[in-house]
Amino acid sequence: MHRHLSIAALAAVSALTIGGACSAASARELVQDSYCLQGRQSGYPGNCEFSSYRQCMATASGTNEGCGINPMRAYAPLRQTQRVR
């Protein structure tokens, strides 16, 4: 009986771990926003959590960094609804 409980607990923990990893990957995709803080400290593509250029530039103010379009968004394949036929 104890062995069955251990196996059931291990299966539950494994399922939660796999489910958590999938949702974390989805969350990372959502974090990628339109503009990235780029420079010597941030690197390339940099800190891509800004939805507007103004937000990014406000964060870059006083540093030796700038802002650019997120390459993950700029070079992403077009969705089927966006393609011109």
Side-chain angles (χ1 to χ4, degrees):
M1 179 72 172
H2 180 68
R3 183 174 172 93
H4 292 294
L5 285 174
S6 297
I7 292 173
L10 180 61
V13 169
S14 297
L16 290 174
T17 303
I18 291 170
C22 292
S23 65
S26 298
R28 263 182 289 185
E29 290 174 9
L30 294 175
V31 170
Q32 296 291 328
D33 236 322
S34 299
Y35 296 94
C36 301
L37 180 66
Q38 300 168 341
R40 183 173 262 170
Q41 284 183 315
S42 299
Y44 183 83
N47 180 2
C48 298
E49 62 183 34
F50 303 99
S51 58
S52 73
Y53 184 75
R54 204 172 237 190
Q55 283 178 334
C56 185
M57 288 304 291
T59 303
S61 177
T63 66
N64 196 19
E65 296 194 323
C67 296
I69 296 174
N70 184 346
M72 298 295 283
R73 294 222 182 230
Y75 301 113
L78 293 176
R79 292 186 188 132
Q80 186 68 26
T81 58
Q82 294 175 336
R83 290 187 181 154
V84 177
R85 292 182 189 246

